Amino acid sequence: MTKIITVKMNDDFTCKCGNDVMDSGFHPCDKKGNEIEPATTWEGYYKCAKCDKIYLDEE
Ligand SMILES: [Zn+2]
């Protein structure tokens, strides 16, 4: 089971792997890590484009 970390996702956010929004960025995804388009069903999860770590925006 992937551990999901709740973060404040903003332009200054940097993943533990070193990726940030100006590098490879982050993709909206569901809690299983499947990339999705931001829509009404989106719950605020992001996946790191480099290491596939999943984050949940606390906003
Ligand atoms: Zn990462």
Side-chain angles (χ1 to χ4, degrees), residues 15-19 26 47-53 55:
C15 180
K16 283 192 169 59
C17 73
N19 179 34
F26 303 89
K47 183 166 75 172
C48 174
K50 274 195 173 171
C51 70
D52 289 347
K53 194 165 196 56
Y55 293 97

Side-chain angles (χ1 to χ4, degrees), residues 9-41:
M9 184 62 72
N10 56 37
D11 290 348
D12 296 327
F13 181 73
T14 303
C15 180
K16 283 192 169 59
C17 73
N19 179 34
D20 62 27
V21 295
M22 300 303 286
D23 191 354
S24 295
F26 303 89
H27 299 299
C29 68
D30 64 20
K31 58 187 166 190
K32 290 178 182 169
N34 301 304
E35 290 181 27
I36 58 172
E37 295 296 321
T40 52
T41 55

